[in-house]
Amino acid sequence: MPNQRDPNKRVFSAWVDKDELKHFKKKALERGMTLTDFISYVLAKETGYQKTEVQPPPEAERPRKP
């Protein structure tokens, strides 16, 4: 059926300080990633988990810093 969440996905939430969240969003934006993809990437990198779907964009595709 359309518009249904992937049955393998689960909600993950955490409480963070608003300044931390602002920093995380900024870093995700710098890399041209969604916050979800950025956090998944960082956690996968830190834990050694390999998932081909979540990779940072190539350097050429990253937005330039102002």
Side-chain angles (χ1 to χ4, degrees):
M1 195 180 325
N3 297 323
Q4 295 230 341
R5 177 80 56 200
D6 182 332
N8 290 320
K9 292 190 177 185
R10 298 292 180 261
V11 172
F12 173 83
S13 64
W15 290 95
V16 296
D17 183 81
K18 63 183 178 181
D19 291 331
E20 286 178 311
L21 181 59
K22 190 174 171 182
H23 179 74
F24 298 154
K25 286 181 177 181
K26 180 182 175 193
K27 292 297 180 182
L29 182 63
E30 287 174 3
R31 290 165 175 77
M33 302 172 83
T34 65
L35 183 58
T36 299
D37 285 345
F38 175 72
I39 291 172
S40 294
Y41 171 73
V42 171
L43 288 173
K45 186 175 178 182
E46 181 64 28
T47 62
Y49 181 74
Q50 298 294 318
K51 186 172 182 178
T52 56
E53 292 176 19
V54 181
Q55 297 296 324
E59 279 295 322
E61 295 180 22
R62 289 187 184 171
R64 296 198 183 266
K65 294 180 185 177

